[in-house]
Amino acid sequence: MLFLMETMNSDQFIMKIFRWLGYDYFHSIEPIGKSGGLAIFWKQHLEIEFLFEDKNLLDMKVSQDSKSWFVSCVYGNPKQHLRYTLLDRLKEIGLTRKSAWCMIGDFNDILSNKEKIGGPKRLESSFQDFQDMIFACDLHVMGSTGNSYSWGGTRNNEWIQCKLVRCFGNS
């Protein structure tokens, strides 16, 4: 499986990438203008059932032979005051999900000030909704390698980097 987030392109363009990479199936949520866009590619040995989808979330049951698990592909709203909708949806899903579950994507949020370089410190309370969702869903950070700062940009003439992309798994 391959998850693309913030594709910012039409299905026609995504189809070219899909064919070039040699996947068997794809499903996408087109961007609104040049903002957002999600796509998931997968091979024929996997069976995918889409349980929920919108511009910020693809929630799926994945099966292979007699095994199945859940995957949620996330693109968090860039506007902080609108992220609660996705976090509430994920919490709702997680409170009932007892099977193997992986959540991956760009959450457009950080868990603490330790996950950013530069810029002013955020209030500890600003991390609470994201932390609460992770706790309620019994999620744990999955390990990764390489540079964990997935976003960099200038705000008020200062370079800032943040860890926005991550992967979680439940117990």
Side-chain angles (χ1 to χ4, degrees), residues 3 11 22 24 27 37-38 40 47 49 54 62-63 77 85 92 99 105-106 108 110 124 134 148 151 153 169:
F3 171 51
D11 278 356
D24 300 310
H27 183 80
L38 306 175
I40 187 92
E47 183 178 317
E49 177 186 352
D54 70 10
V62 181
S63 303
N77 198 308
T85 305
E92 183 181 306
S99 299
D106 180 346
N108 262 318
I110 57 176
E124 290 300 314
I134 291 166
S148 64
W151 178 85

Tab-separated table of all heavy atoms in Angstrom, residues 3 11 22 24 27 37-38 40 47 49 54 62-63 77 85 92 99 105-106 108 110 124 134 148 151 153 169:
chain	number	residue	atom	x	y	z
A	3	PHE	N	0.237	5.487	0.540
A	3	PHE	CA	-0.691	6.574	0.845
A	3	PHE	C	-0.063	7.892	0.425
A	3	PHE	O	1.063	8.194	0.806
A	3	PHE	CB	-0.998	6.579	2.345
A	3	PHE	CG	-1.776	7.781	2.818
A	3	PHE	CD1	-2.940	8.177	2.184
A	3	PHE	CD2	-1.349	8.495	3.922
A	3	PHE	CE1	-3.658	9.279	2.630
A	3	PHE	CE2	-2.061	9.588	4.387
A	3	PHE	CZ	-3.216	9.987	3.738
A	11	ASP	N	-7.604	13.502	-10.190
A	11	ASP	CA	-7.487	12.053	-10.356
A	11	ASP	C	-6.735	11.688	-11.629
A	11	ASP	O	-6.029	10.692	-11.674
A	11	ASP	CB	-8.871	11.409	-10.385
A	11	ASP	CG	-9.444	11.180	-9.000
A	11	ASP	OD1	-8.745	11.450	-8.006
A	11	ASP	OD2	-10.594	10.714	-8.924
A	22	GLY	N	3.045	1.049	-10.877
A	22	GLY	CA	2.687	-0.351	-11.080
A	22	GLY	C	1.763	-0.945	-10.039
A	22	GLY	O	1.786	-2.158	-9.820
A	24	ASP	N	-2.041	-2.041	-8.555
A	24	ASP	CA	-3.196	-2.657	-9.209
A	24	ASP	C	-4.491	-1.859	-9.019
A	24	ASP	O	-5.357	-1.876	-9.884
A	24	ASP	CB	-3.401	-4.080	-8.678
A	24	ASP	CG	-2.188	-4.950	-8.938
A	24	ASP	OD1	-1.708	-4.976	-10.098
A	24	ASP	OD2	-1.695	-5.588	-7.985
A	27	HIS	N	-7.637	4.483	-5.005
A	27	HIS	CA	-8.833	5.204	-4.574
A	27	HIS	C	-8.350	6.584	-4.149
A	27	HIS	O	-7.292	6.713	-3.534
A	27	HIS	CB	-9.484	4.476	-3.398
A	27	HIS	CG	-10.750	5.112	-2.936
A	27	HIS	ND1	-11.952	4.927	-3.582
A	27	HIS	CD2	-11.009	5.927	-1.899
A	27	HIS	CE1	-12.893	5.598	-2.957
A	27	HIS	NE2	-12.346	6.221	-1.926
A	37	GLY	N	-6.293	16.669	-0.961
A	37	GLY	CA	-6.250	15.531	-1.877
A	37	GLY	C	-5.589	14.340	-1.215
A	37	GLY	O	-4.533	14.464	-0.605
A	38	LEU	N	-6.254	13.189	-1.290
A	38	LEU	CA	-5.727	11.945	-0.719
A	38	LEU	C	-5.785	10.861	-1.786
A	38	LEU	O	-6.681	10.860	-2.622
A	38	LEU	CB	-6.581	11.482	0.469
A	38	LEU	CG	-6.830	12.448	1.605
A	38	LEU	CD1	-7.793	11.830	2.619
A	38	LEU	CD2	-5.535	12.835	2.278
A	40	ILE	N	-4.809	6.429	-2.181
A	40	ILE	CA	-4.233	5.183	-1.658
A	40	ILE	C	-4.092	4.224	-2.830
A	40	ILE	O	-5.004	4.092	-3.646
A	40	ILE	CB	-5.106	4.600	-0.516
A	40	ILE	CG1	-4.449	3.401	0.145
A	40	ILE	CG2	-6.495	4.249	-0.957
A	40	ILE	CD1	-3.620	3.750	1.316
A	47	GLU	N	-7.224	-6.920	-0.005
A	47	GLU	CA	-8.623	-6.541	-0.195
A	47	GLU	C	-8.885	-5.357	0.728
A	47	GLU	O	-8.554	-5.412	1.919
A	47	GLU	CB	-9.532	-7.711	0.167
A	47	GLU	CG	-10.985	-7.434	-0.080
A	47	GLU	CD	-11.852	-8.635	0.254
A	47	GLU	OE1	-11.475	-9.768	-0.103
A	47	GLU	OE2	-12.899	-8.416	0.895
A	49	GLU	N	-11.645	-2.546	2.241
A	49	GLU	CA	-13.022	-2.105	2.461
A	49	GLU	C	-12.952	-0.710	3.075
A	49	GLU	O	-12.382	-0.534	4.158
A	49	GLU	CB	-13.749	-3.064	3.405
A	49	GLU	CG	-15.147	-2.636	3.736
A	49	GLU	CD	-15.797	-3.524	4.795
A	49	GLU	OE1	-15.224	-4.565	5.177
A	49	GLU	OE2	-16.891	-3.143	5.253
A	54	ASP	N	-13.360	11.109	3.930
A	54	ASP	CA	-13.630	12.515	3.665
A	54	ASP	C	-12.310	13.151	3.289
A	54	ASP	O	-11.323	12.447	3.066
A	54	ASP	CB	-14.351	13.203	4.838
A	54	ASP	CG	-13.510	13.394	6.080
A	54	ASP	OD1	-12.264	13.174	6.046
A	54	ASP	OD2	-14.068	13.778	7.122
A	62	VAL	N	-8.334	-3.756	5.962
A	62	VAL	CA	-7.457	-4.388	4.987
A	62	VAL	C	-7.402	-5.882	5.297
A	62	VAL	O	-7.238	-6.270	6.456
A	62	VAL	CB	-6.030	-3.783	5.043
A	62	VAL	CG1	-5.126	-4.426	4.007
A	62	VAL	CG2	-6.082	-2.272	4.871
A	63	SER	N	-7.562	-6.693	4.272
A	63	SER	CA	-7.515	-8.149	4.456
A	63	SER	C	-6.542	-8.771	3.464
A	63	SER	O	-6.408	-8.309	2.332
A	63	SER	CB	-8.896	-8.763	4.235
A	63	SER	OG	-9.841	-8.200	5.099
A	77	ASN	N	-6.327	18.927	9.291
A	77	ASN	CA	-6.642	20.260	8.777
A	77	ASN	C	-5.506	21.229	9.117
A	77	ASN	O	-5.072	21.290	10.263
A	77	ASN	CB	-7.957	20.764	9.376
A	77	ASN	CG	-8.543	21.903	8.585
A	77	ASN	OD1	-7.869	22.886	8.311
A	77	ASN	ND2	-9.797	21.778	8.220
A	85	THR	N	-12.477	18.358	14.606
A	85	THR	CA	-13.425	17.493	13.897
A	85	THR	C	-12.784	16.146	13.572
A	85	THR	O	-13.370	15.090	13.830
A	85	THR	CB	-13.906	18.173	12.591
A	85	THR	OG1	-14.430	19.448	12.914
A	85	THR	CG2	-14.945	17.341	11.884
A	92	GLU	N	-13.659	8.576	18.120
A	92	GLU	CA	-14.882	7.766	17.973
A	92	GLU	C	-14.556	6.400	17.375
A	92	GLU	O	-15.038	5.364	17.837
A	92	GLU	CB	-15.852	8.528	17.079
A	92	GLU	CG	-17.188	7.894	16.871
A	92	GLU	CD	-18.055	8.738	15.939
A	92	GLU	OE1	-18.248	9.941	16.211
A	92	GLU	OE2	-18.512	8.181	14.919
A	99	SER	N	-9.220	-4.482	17.218
A	99	SER	CA	-8.311	-5.270	16.383
A	99	SER	C	-7.093	-4.435	16.024
A	99	SER	O	-7.037	-3.241	16.306
A	99	SER	CB	-9.030	-5.704	15.109
A	99	SER	OG	-10.139	-6.498	15.417
A	105	GLY	N	0.008	9.347	8.712
A	105	GLY	CA	-0.250	10.526	7.903
A	105	GLY	C	0.317	11.804	8.482
A	105	GLY	O	1.130	11.797	9.399
A	106	ASP	N	-0.156	12.897	7.909
A	106	ASP	CA	0.227	14.241	8.319
A	106	ASP	C	-0.898	14.770	9.199
A	106	ASP	O	-1.974	15.102	8.717
A	106	ASP	CB	0.405	15.125	7.080
A	106	ASP	CG	0.801	16.553	7.402
A	106	ASP	OD1	0.702	16.966	8.578
A	106	ASP	OD2	1.198	17.273	6.472
A	108	ASN	N	-0.746	17.455	10.955
A	108	ASN	CA	-0.664	18.913	11.023
A	108	ASN	C	-0.703	19.404	12.460
A	108	ASN	O	-1.269	20.463	12.757
A	108	ASN	CB	-1.768	19.576	10.186
A	108	ASN	CG	-1.253	19.988	8.837
A	108	ASN	OD1	-0.147	20.506	8.718
A	108	ASN	ND2	-2.028	19.734	7.811
A	110	ILE	N	1.485	18.816	16.559
A	110	ILE	CA	2.590	18.243	17.325
A	110	ILE	C	2.094	17.895	18.726
A	110	ILE	O	1.069	18.401	19.180
A	110	ILE	CB	3.811	19.197	17.385
A	110	ILE	CG1	3.430	20.555	17.985
A	110	ILE	CG2	4.418	19.360	15.992
A	110	ILE	CD1	4.604	21.516	18.153
A	124	GLU	N	1.143	24.603	26.659
A	124	GLU	CA	0.983	23.157	26.853
A	124	GLU	C	-0.450	22.719	26.583
A	124	GLU	O	-0.693	21.640	26.061
A	124	GLU	CB	1.410	22.754	28.272
A	124	GLU	CG	2.915	22.857	28.511
A	124	GLU	CD	3.736	21.972	27.592
A	124	GLU	OE1	3.389	20.785	27.407
A	124	GLU	OE2	4.743	22.469	27.046
A	134	ILE	N	-4.863	10.301	21.180
A	134	ILE	CA	-3.900	9.199	21.198
A	134	ILE	C	-4.123	8.304	22.418
A	134	ILE	O	-4.142	7.073	22.309
A	134	ILE	CB	-2.460	9.753	21.150
A	134	ILE	CG1	-2.208	10.364	19.780
A	134	ILE	CG2	-1.441	8.665	21.458
A	134	ILE	CD1	-0.987	11.227	19.706
A	148	SER	N	12.927	13.507	11.327
A	148	SER	CA	11.520	13.447	11.721
A	148	SER	C	10.795	14.776	11.519
A	148	SER	O	9.575	14.835	11.628
A	148	SER	CB	11.392	12.996	13.176
A	148	SER	OG	11.970	13.943	14.048
A	151	TRP	N	8.045	19.143	8.182
A	151	TRP	CA	7.620	20.432	7.652
A	151	TRP	C	8.614	21.505	8.069
A	151	TRP	O	9.106	21.510	9.197
A	151	TRP	CB	6.233	20.810	8.174
A	151	TRP	CG	5.779	22.156	7.676
A	151	TRP	CD1	5.161	22.431	6.499
A	151	TRP	CD2	5.967	23.424	8.333
A	151	TRP	NE1	4.944	23.785	6.384
A	151	TRP	CE2	5.429	24.429	7.505
A	151	TRP	CE3	6.541	23.807	9.544
A	151	TRP	CZ2	5.440	25.769	7.833
A	151	TRP	CZ3	6.552	25.152	9.875
A	151	TRP	CH2	5.997	26.123	9.023
A	153	GLY	N	9.231	25.871	7.365
A	153	GLY	CA	8.738	27.073	6.722
A	153	GLY	C	9.063	28.302	7.540
A	153	GLY	O	9.495	28.210	8.693
A	169	GLY	N	0.311	2.851	16.160
A	169	GLY	CA	-0.329	1.542	16.178
A	169	GLY	C	-0.971	1.336	17.534
A	169	GLY	O	-0.489	1.886	18.537
